[in-house]
Amino acid sequence: MTTSSAIERAGARRDPAILRKRLAGYGLLSPALVLMILMLALPVLALVLMSFWTQNGFELDRSFTLDNYRQLVATSDEPTYWMGIPFPFAYPVPAILMLKSLGMSLAATVAVIAVAYPMAYFMAFRVTHNKALWIILITIPFWTSYLLRVFSWKIVLGFNGAINSGLKYLGLIDEPLEFLLYNPTAVVITLSHAWVAFAILPIYVSLEKIDRTLLEAASDLGDSRLKRFFRITLPLSAPGTIAASLLVFIPTVGDYVTPALVGGPGGTMIGSLVQDLFLKQNNAPMGAAVSIVMMLIIAFLVGLFLWAIGYRKLRSRRA
């Protein structure tokens, strides 16, 4: 069987019709591949190369060196504490902001999924007509600029914003609540609102593909709605939910626009440090090194998350 299969594959490679089909497929992919190489791969390679340079005043030293990475991992005898956590680094700011960014992005992701899943479930199982209209309504926030959406939350959460004004009008408070704006909570709320539409669509597609006869069979066997949801709907919608989680978590870790507008000093994230190194401190090589380390950490965490999910599925199948 192995020899015959190898012969068939070799014959398929020599078949002109099959070769033309494969080339046609690559031809369809080529615009996207060229765009990805020009807009993603080349900038990342340039960033990696720059991270091995150094900045001497206004001059860029292109000599290969690991000084930027050594500075990021250099230890200190006196650790810096943040939230009770010791950071034994001579330059602890990147590590602190990286941990802080991961926590804020995780909180935003959880909030987004908590809001997006019920909406996607409603569209998939309760809306029977005009589903396209509902999808268009979900995309309405994208009809305006991202900056305008962030500024709108600044107006809502501000000292004289809608929330504080409403509470003062009802007589519930005498002074404006200062904790609503310029802190990590404001950043998480704004990020959640900005990314919730991105999460609804993949979850909705995953829910829409579920075979309804499975749910009917579970009902016939006596499963309640809640049990049917946890045994059938939730596991089968897991791919869309995981995709939505990654779609929200990965970009929000490096966001710097939202922290700059609504975060204040307390809501600073790792993207703010990278922006500061490139544009204010005139230290592009260090900014590139921080960016590379940030991408590696995120890639490791995402890979670990996907491996854990795959390992759990493998154990459940064996069981």
Side-chain angles (χ1 to χ4, degrees), residues 41-116:
L42 291 181
V44 171
L45 289 176
L47 204 64
V48 172
L49 181 63
M50 186 181 295
S51 68
F52 296 108
W53 298 345
T54 53
Q55 188 78 36
N56 297 322
F58 292 100
E59 295 183 0
L60 191 63
D61 186 359
R62 291 179 172 83
S63 302
F64 181 86
T65 180
L66 295 173
D67 289 346
N68 295 320
Y69 294 99
R70 291 194 187 99
Q71 184 177 348
L72 290 176
V73 298
T75 59
S76 174
D77 295 334
E78 297 182 1
T80 302
Y81 288 87
W82 177 77
M83 302 288 290
I85 304 173
F87 290 85
F89 300 108
Y91 182 37
V93 176
I96 293 174
L97 291 181
M98 188 69 223
L99 182 61
K100 184 179 179 182
S101 300
L102 291 173
M104 294 168 64
S105 297
L106 182 61
T109 303
V110 172
V112 166
I113 298 301
V115 174

Side-chain angles (χ1 to χ4, degrees), residues 121-192:
Y121 185 91
F122 174 79
M123 291 174 55
F125 291 97
R126 293 293 181 263
V127 177
T128 57
H129 303 287
N130 300 322
K131 288 191 176 184
L133 177 61
W134 281 88
I135 294 176
I136 293 174
L137 291 176
I138 289 173
T139 63
I140 285 179
F142 297 103
W143 298 2
T144 59
S145 169
Y146 179 78
L147 288 175
L148 291 178
R149 282 179 277 154
V150 176
F151 274 118
S152 66
W153 276 106
K154 195 171 183 179
I155 295 173
V156 172
L157 301 174
F159 297 152
N160 296 317
I163 294 179
N164 278 319
S165 298
L167 293 176
K168 288 177 66 177
Y169 177 79
L170 295 174
L172 299 177
I173 58 173
D174 297 326
E175 299 293 334
L177 300 176
E178 298 182 359
F179 64 85
L180 294 177
L181 191 62
Y182 301 125
N183 52 54
T185 303
V187 177
V188 171
I189 292 174
T190 306
L191 289 175
S192 302

